Structures are given as structure tokens and as C-alpha cells.
Amino acid sequence: MTTVDLVVPKRKKKRKPKSKAKHGKGKPTGFEEYYVDAPITPKEYEEEKALYDIRIEAAILRYQNNRRMEPDRREAFMRYLVYGGVDVGPKMFTGVDEQELQQLDSEQALIAKGQTNIRQECTKLIVDFNAVVKGYLTSYFPYFFNPETEEMVKLATITIRNFLSYLLYHEVCPEYRVNIDEARRSCDIATKELWQNQEFTTSSPGDFNKACSTLFGGFFYDVNVEGNSWNNRNNGNFLMKNDVARKVVKFAIAGSGTNAMALKFQTLANQNALHSTLVPDIHGFEVISVFPPSSEVCEFYRHHAPDLNPVGRMVGKAFRDPGKPRYDLSAEERLMWETGTASVPDFQFFLEESLLKLCYLKMKVITPVWELNCGLNFFEDVHAVYSSIYTVLCNDLMLGYKQSVDLTREEQDDLEEIEEPNGDEAGKEETTL
């Protein structure tokens, strides 16, 4: 009888899918707060120096290869590149299959898989990293992405700052070192101010401005307020009754207004002569100083009006948005506005402490501004809030631009044979900027 040895087969280890192994949760993304690029050898330094001397495209490709970007971060970064004049998308006539890719060295494979390039005509434009960062973060990003959380704001600002730091560390373009460092500081400013702008927009106009609009004209004037109660004013749709609005205005002027303003207000109120006018030919105001309510004012409210929020003061000046159509001005007036020499009056606003904490110098608020004949102003219906480094560039106009291609007569005939219009499609025309 023959005996047979039973050999227990070894259990094979399960291999993790490449996607999970490569993009595991434990692996750093490159965007952590204290993340730094690993030191490079002298040989790598010389290779990179020779590579980056050619163009910044190589730096963008290698940066993307060394960072792990989730979809939202990638979208914000790619939009930044497009805004700065970089073409993003599959390169024409450079497709390679997997077999050809394996025959290339690491650098050639990286270039072949890359989806960013800079057109030759863009190399003639002015290079200004700081201007592009300010334009993208202050005039494009907030209104294209509409960030609803502070994390979403930081997703863009920190990503761009990380990329700029990469350029500095690898000495991609050392002649622009100062300019890139300025752009990094602009990222830091935008990180703080963009979220304050968002909070100010959703929290404004505040009790005092709403009270003035209710009494003297504006968005809330003569609006039906039946069913509203002062106790549910935390609701964003709260509308004041006239008696509540009068109380809010009187205590604000008595607590934070000057003696001259309070006396004039009282005199005009007794004569039933208080009225407001809309300030013409401006888009809003720019903050030039902020005065939170003093301890005496807070004590005054605590004793006499505990149901009201203490009010402080803010001073602003007229602002015209360079991103909007110009007002019809004479050549002299336009020159004075552009050079900052135009004589514009200061606006005196009263705001609750919670709103004043969100204000900062050079903050721009796009809103109708009203003036009371007692010497104070109020605003309402805030449309937008801009950062202190608000910058408007022509880059927005080039987004989506497609360069026309000149075809020979033979190529045009071939194209017409391939794409023969019929039916409803015959009347359509392609339109490009």
C-alpha cells in the first residue's frame, strides 16, 4: 500500500489594490501644516536646475506627481493654473499607450502623462505671481466656488501657497523669488479675510441698519411685519416693527453717537423732518476705521436696554468697483478717482459688536449706502464683500478661450464631408470669444 503525504498549501497573501495602497489614509498628502519636501541630493539639484531652466511646465508636472490631491483641492488648483494662463487638459498628438509608456524613462513618462502646458504666446506676457494670486483668490475663487465653510477657503489658499513654496524650495525661477514670497503673503491674507467676508455677508446688515431701513426708506421700508416678534430676531427673515426700530436707533445714537449728532437727531425727530437719501454714483464703501463699543456703552445697554445689542461705530469711504462698468464721469473726475485724489465724504455707520469684529481696514462692501440728514449713514442688502487685496485682472476674460485654427482649402473640404449639417443643426453656429 502506497502512502501519500498530504501537503497543506501555503495561504497566499492578499495583495492590496494599487489604488488603495497608493492612496491610503496614512500616506501624507503633502498639504499637512508642517509638511516639507524631502532634502534633495546635489545630483538631483543639478538635474532639476537644468530642467527648470527650460520652463515652469516641468515644475507643475513634478509638483502634481509629488502631491496627493482630492477632487476639490485639485479643482481649485487647476482653476488657479488656468487663471494664470496655463492650458489644462489632454495634449493633442502626444497620446501614448501603456506599452509605449513602459519604454520611457521616469521623466519622459511624467511629461507624456502630463496635462498642463503653456502656449508659446503666453510666454510673452508679464510674469507676476502675486497679481495672479490676488486676482484669483479675491475676484474669481469666491464667486466661482462660493465657499460655504472656512475649510473650503483654506483648501484653495493653502494649496496655492504650498505650490508657491515648492517653487521657492526647488529654485524653479529664482529671479522671481521676491514676487513669489509676496504671493505667499497674499495667500495668508486671503485665508483670514475671505472667510470674514463670507460671515459678514450672511450676518449683515445688523439690527441698526435694518431699523434705519425700516423707518427711513430702503429694502425694509413699509414691509408687512405682522407676526414677527423681537424674541425670534435670530431668524434671518426677521422684520422689525416700527416701535422696535425706533428704540434701536435712539439707543444707538444716545450710546455711540456724538453730542452734536444726538442733538440734531432729536431736533429733526421733534419736527418730523428726518429723512434719508441714497448716495449716488458709488458701488459701496471701503472700511477705513473701526470703533467697537466701549465698556461704558456696553454698561449703558445692560442697564437701560438689555434686550438690544450694544452698538459701535465704523467709518467708511465711497468705493467704486473696478470690476464693474464705469460711471459716466468727466475725464478730470475719472482721473481723480483712478489716482485716489478725488474728494469723497466719510460715512458714519453704527454696527453691532458681532459685525464689527468681522470688519478690517480696506474691506470693501458692495451695497446701497443711505445718508440721514442728521449726519449718519446706513446700508442694507449687501451684494458682495471684497478683501483688502481685491484685484481685478483681464485674466477672467480669457477663461474658456479657444484659439482658432487656420485650415487649408483641402482640409476645409474634408471637414465639411465629415460633418454634414442636417435638420435643426444646420442653423446653429459655433461662437467663441
Side-chain angles (χ1 to χ4, degrees):
M1 185 175 181
T2 306
T3 60
V4 179
D5 294 332
L6 296 178
V7 180
V8 180
K10 294 183 179 180
R11 178 180 293 180
K12 293 183 179 180
K13 294 183 179 180
K14 293 183 179 180
R15 297 181 62 185
K16 293 183 179 179
K18 290 184 178 180
S19 58
K20 291 184 179 180
K22 185 177 180 180
H23 302 294
K25 293 184 179 179
K27 187 175 180 179
T29 64
F31 298 98
E32 289 75 15
E33 184 177 359
Y34 299 106
Y35 180 88
V36 293
D37 286 289
I40 58 178
T41 64
K43 182 181 179 181
E44 290 174 333
Y45 172 80
E46 293 300 329
E47 290 177 352
E48 288 188 353
K49 189 174 186 301
L51 187 67
Y52 294 148
D53 282 344
I54 302 174
R55 52 175 43 187
I56 198 173
E57 283 184 29
I60 297 174
L61 292 175
R62 294 169 76 90
Y63 174 77
Q64 291 178 279
N65 190 56
N66 293 332
R67 296 293 187 273
R68 184 163 61 88
M69 296 188 187
E70 58 270 26
D72 290 343
R73 189 187 299 275
R74 177 179 174 80
E75 175 70 10
F77 179 67
M78 288 301 183
R79 286 282 173 179
Y80 160 69
L81 294 180
V82 173
Y83 187 87
V86 179
D87 283 344
V88 175
K91 298 178 182 179
M92 296 183 64
F93 314 118
T94 58
V96 292
D97 56 28
E98 190 65 29
Q99 185 176 1
E100 292 173 327
L101 202 62
Q102 292 177 357
Q103 298 175 359
L104 302 177
D105 60 34
S106 58
E107 192 63 39
Q108 291 173 332
L110 181 63
I111 295 175
K113 293 187 296 182
Q115 294 189 348
T116 57
N117 68 287
I118 301 175
R119 299 190 306 272
Q120 185 62 33
E121 57 268 24
C122 290
T123 59
K124 302 177 182 179
L125 300 177
I126 297 174
V127 177
D128 193 334
F129 288 91
N130 190 30
V132 171
V133 164
K134 291 193 294 185
Y136 176 76
L137 290 179
T138 64
S139 66
Y140 180 80
F141 169 77
Y143 310 106
F144 182 86
F145 288 92
N146 190 27
E148 297 180 350
T149 63
E150 188 175 7
E151 287 69 26
M152 183 60 191
V153 171
K154 291 181 177 179
L155 192 73
T157 58
I158 292 178
T159 300
I160 296 173
R161 193 187 194 283
N162 186 279
F163 171 68
L164 296 171
S165 298
Y166 181 90
L167 298 183
L168 289 179
Y169 179 77
H170 292 271
E171 297 187 2
V172 176
C173 35
E175 67 274 24
Y176 295 105
R177 171 174 290 274
V178 175
N179 185 246
I180 294 175
D181 208 35
E182 292 174 349
R184 295 201 307 167
R185 287 194 291 271
S186 295
C187 289
D188 295 335
I189 294 172
T191 299
K192 178 181 179 182
E193 293 183 353
L194 290 183
W195 181 241
Q196 289 185 224
N197 295 350
Q198 190 78 0
E199 289 186 299
F200 187 89
T201 302
T202 56
S203 303
S204 61
D207 297 338
F208 177 81
N209 288 290
K210 188 177 290 188
C212 288
S213 177
T214 302
L215 296 174
F216 308 116
F219 183 79
F220 299 99
Y221 188 66
D222 280 343
V223 176
N224 183 16
V225 296
E226 293 300 325
N228 283 271
S229 171
W230 183 243
N231 293 327
N232 66 353
R233 62 184 182 275
N234 291 327
N235 182 356
N237 298 322
F238 170 75
L239 301 173
M240 289 185 182
K241 294 183 179 180
N242 285 358
D243 57 340
V244 174
R246 281 191 289 268
K247 180 179 180 181
V248 170
V249 173
K250 287 180 180 179
F251 272 90
I253 294 176
S256 298
T258 62
N259 292 334
M261 183 186 295
L263 181 60
K264 189 173 183 179
F265 178 86
Q266 185 63 42
T267 301
L268 293 173
N270 292 336
Q271 298 173 356
N272 198 25
L274 279 170
H275 65 85
S276 65
T277 55
L278 185 65
V279 180
D281 298 338
I282 65 171
H283 294 118
F285 64 88
E286 178 180 321
V287 177
I288 57 178
S289 57
V290 179
F291 303 95
S294 63
S295 57
E296 291 80 7
V297 171
C298 293
E299 190 66 23
F300 169 73
Y301 271 87
R302 198 158 34 243
H303 275 80
H304 303 285
D307 58 329
L308 302 183
N309 296 312
V311 168
R313 189 165 57 91
M314 178 183 68
V315 182
K317 65 178 181 180
F319 175 72
R320 288 178 178 168
D321 187 356
K324 295 182 181 295
R326 296 178 177 178
Y327 284 102
D328 188 14
L329 304 174
S330 65
E332 293 79 7
E333 290 175 323
R334 184 175 293 110
L335 179 62
M336 293 173 66
W337 270 97
E338 291 175 351
T339 57
T341 59
S343 177
V344 293
D346 290 344
F347 300 142
Q348 301 289 334
F349 297 107
F350 287 160
L351 284 174
E352 288 71 35
E353 187 175 16
S354 59
L355 281 174
L356 287 174
K357 288 180 179 179
L358 301 174
C359 298
Y360 51 88
L361 299 185
K362 296 185 178 181
M363 176 184 183
K364 287 89 173 171
V365 182
I366 306 302
T367 178
V369 177
W370 297 76
E371 182 176 6
L372 276 173
N373 57 342
C374 66
L376 62 89
N377 303 86
F378 66 93
F379 65 90
E380 54 175 357
D381 193 21
V382 173
H383 304 315
V385 181
Y386 297 140
S387 171
S388 63
I389 57 174
Y390 175 56
T391 302
V392 177
L393 301 178
C394 295
N395 295 38
D396 300 64
L397 303 177
M398 298 304 295
L399 296 177
Y401 168 77
K402 294 182 180 179
Q403 188 177 9
S404 59
V405 179
D406 295 330
L407 302 177
T408 63
R409 183 59 189 171
E410 291 77 9
E411 290 173 330
Q412 292 179 5
D413 293 339
D414 294 340
L415 187 62
E416 290 176 359
E417 291 178 4
I418 296 174
E419 298 180 358
E420 188 70 27
N422 55 65
D424 295 336
E425 297 181 358
K428 294 183 180 180
E429 294 182 1
E430 183 180 3
T431 303
T432 57
L433 293 177

